[in-house]
Amino acid sequence: MKRILVLLLLFSLPALSLAKAPVIELRIKDHLFYPAEVIVPANTKVKLLVINQDATPEEFESYELNREKVIIGNSKAIIFIGPLEPGEYPFFGEFNMSTALGKIIVE
Amino acid sequence: MLLDIIILVLRETVEAGVILSLLLCISNQYKLGYSWFYSALSIGVILASVYAANFRLVGEWFDFAGQEVINASMQFIIYACLLTICSLLIFSNLKGYRQLKLILGIAIALAITRELAEMFIFYAGFFQSDGDLVKVFTGSFIGMMIGLSFGVLCYYAINIWNRSTSKIIQIIFLTLIAAGMSVQATQLLIQIDWLSASKPLWSSNWLLDESSIFGQMTYAVFGYESSPTLPEVILYLSTLIFIAVLSVVSYAKSGYLRVKPSHRSNPSSPRELNDG
């Protein structure tokens, strides 16, 4: 356990020292993501502010980004992504997989 | 829609189902009874209800990082429980049955809390939106049955072997599941920027696509990550190395104990060495 704590501290240090990440807003409405395509700079950490405007919960999920977060209805959530290589990284709403689809485009 | 619900429920059920079946195997092998299991199950359901009911509040903790902090904490506790059980199995030090029941119980209660809370939130949202109840119940039933069948299959697949082989299988599975837990918890801490994010070390998507059904199952059970970062790889490997070292130490210790009687004067046969 002690080893885990030491490792956590070790890896946390660079995170604490970094400058503030740019914030990008993403909204969920009628089980759709707005915008469905988000463009972010390459090799940069970005703070996604996901605002769920639906009354129902949604789960932001992306295998490519390794991200997973439940966002209760009419609430917001923060998800950090990156630094990423240029390319496309799809994401979806796990509670509405057929409609809530989008992608992060890294340029 | 139906397929979405099946996949959603299946993912949650498989993960908890494998841990449950594995720990029940150990309980069965050491004749611990089932009272601890029912207690852990009940506590897990209660905790999941409380967590789901207060999800909005919890989510706002630590500047909207509460969800990740709570989930990662639960995963690290399960991780510690699984490694403790693994260590006890390796050293065959299972005399403290009461403590073993407690550790098994904590692991199961938290595994259920983690998975069930998400399901409760999903269902609450569904009832709120007046969706198709038949599809939800049918999808949930199919997903749950497939997940439970997988758990039952694991239970019997481990139990059919003799005690020593079964023990080795249990140790291997416990180690892999624990390592997977550590990876998932690490990802959550990276997601809230509590751990430094770095570029993935490699991508094994060409070998096993993480979004495929099998990829999702291996992620849910063993924490398979097609593009892992350095902290995840370090934690995963540390877990494997830790258990491997314990196994070697245990083996060496038992070997040492067997030859220890050689200090006696002129043992006449290897059998005497062992019997001494």
Side-chain angles (χ1 to χ4, degrees):
Chain A
M1 201 61 198
K2 195 186 281 179
R3 193 176 42 151
I4 294 165
L5 286 173
V6 170
L7 274 171
L8 282 175
L9 279 174
L10 204 71
F11 286 111
S12 295
L13 289 176
L16 293 172
S17 65
L18 279 175
K20 276 192 172 179
V23 182
I24 291 178
E25 206 174 282
L26 188 63
R27 288 177 187 271
I28 302 167
K29 186 150 181 62
D30 300 327
H31 312 307
L32 295 167
F33 283 109
Y34 295 100
E37 293 185 354
V38 180
I39 298 169
V40 302
N43 305 316
T44 310
K45 185 165 62 182
V46 172
K47 185 177 176 178
L48 279 183
L49 173 63
V50 189
I51 302 167
N52 185 1
Q53 294 181 322
D54 285 337
T56 54
E58 185 54 275
E59 182 168 5
F60 178 96
E61 174 123 19
S62 171
Y63 301 118
E64 286 74 9
L65 295 165
N66 298 328
R67 296 293 180 262
E68 182 179 15
K69 184 157 186 164
V70 175
I71 307 149
I72 292 288
N74 294 316
S75 73
K76 61 180 181 177
I78 286 165
I79 301 166
F80 284 87
I81 58 166
L84 297 163
E85 296 282 358
E88 292 187 354
Y89 300 81
F91 60 83
F92 60 95
E94 200 186 11
F95 294 169
N96 296 281
M97 282 185 235
S98 47
T99 57
L101 300 164
K103 61 183 166 189
I104 304 282
I105 301 169
V106 183
E107 293 178 344
Chain B
M1 173 74 178
L2 185 68
L3 188 65
D4 294 353
I5 298 168
I6 293 173
I7 292 172
L8 179 77
V9 176
L10 181 60
R11 279 185 58 180
E12 308 300 333
T13 319
V14 162
E15 191 169 345
V18 170
I19 295 178
L20 256 66
S21 60
L22 191 59
L23 298 186
L24 274 173
C25 270
I26 294 167
S27 172
N28 181 44
Q29 203 161 17
Y30 293 95
K31 299 183 176 20
L32 301 181
Y34 291 97
S35 58
W36 69 269
F37 175 71
Y38 297 128
S39 305
L41 206 64
S42 311
I43 292 169
V45 173
I46 293 167
L47 285 179
S49 315
V50 173
Y51 186 28
N54 295 285
F55 208 78
R56 186 185 299 273
L57 176 71
V58 172
E60 288 171 4
W61 291 350
F62 310 108
D63 195 19
F64 294 96
Q67 186 186 143
E68 284 90 345
V69 174
I70 297 294
N71 286 348
S73 303
M74 283 198 278
Q75 280 169 317
F76 277 127
I77 295 171
I78 299 172
Y79 171 77
C81 288
L82 296 184
L83 284 193
T84 308
I85 296 163
C86 216
S87 310
L88 288 169
L89 280 174
I90 289 169
F91 288 101
S92 298
N93 184 19
L94 289 158
K95 286 174 189 168
Y97 282 166
R98 184 166 291 182
Q99 285 86 337
L100 183 63
K101 280 182 190 175
L102 181 68
I103 298 165
L104 290 169
I106 291 171
I108 284 190
L110 291 181
I112 290 169
T113 304
R114 220 166 56 84
E115 305 300 338
L116 206 57
E118 200 176 303
M119 296 308 306
F120 283 160
I121 291 166
F122 170 71
Y123 288 124
F126 193 82
F127 289 124
Q128 212 175 333
S129 66
D130 300 324
D132 189 339
L133 280 179
V134 177
K135 272 186 184 169
V136 163
F137 283 120
T138 311
S140 302
F141 181 76
I142 296 171
M144 202 173 284
M145 284 302 114
I146 299 172
L148 286 178
S149 307
F150 189 71
V152 171
L153 193 71
C154 285
Y155 179 84
Y156 286 105
I158 297 168
N159 254 345
I160 54 167
W161 302 95
N162 63 40
R163 194 167 171 146
S164 58
T165 311
S166 176
K167 187 173 155 179
I168 292 168
I169 296 170
Q170 286 162 10
I171 290 169
I172 292 170
F173 270 80
L174 281 171
T175 309
L176 292 174
I177 293 170
M181 282 283 163
S182 70
V183 168
Q184 290 182 13
T186 309
Q187 276 179 4
L188 290 174
L189 296 180
I190 292 172
Q191 181 167 300
I192 53 171
D193 203 28
W194 280 28
L195 280 184
S196 178
S198 58
K199 286 182 187 172
L201 293 180
W202 66 76
S203 175
S204 56
N205 242 353
W206 58 273
L207 190 65
L208 176 57
D209 186 355
E210 206 182 316
S211 60
S212 67
I213 294 282
F214 191 64
Q216 287 184 46
M217 292 299 114
T218 46
Y219 168 80
V221 181
F222 302 125
Y224 167 71
E225 186 49 69
S226 61
S227 48
T229 56
L230 184 63
E232 290 161 23
V233 172
I234 289 178
L235 259 178
Y236 199 94
L237 289 180
S238 304
T239 308
L240 300 188
I241 292 168
F242 175 69
I243 294 301
V245 168
L246 281 190
S247 304
V248 170
V249 168
S250 168
Y251 182 77
K253 201 175 165 188
S254 58
Y256 170 74
L257 287 174
R258 272 201 298 276
V259 295
K260 200 175 178 182
S262 65
H263 292 299
R264 289 165 58 188
S265 57
N266 301 321
S268 56
S269 69
R271 180 176 168 77
E272 194 176 332
L273 279 174
N274 290 329
D275 293 345

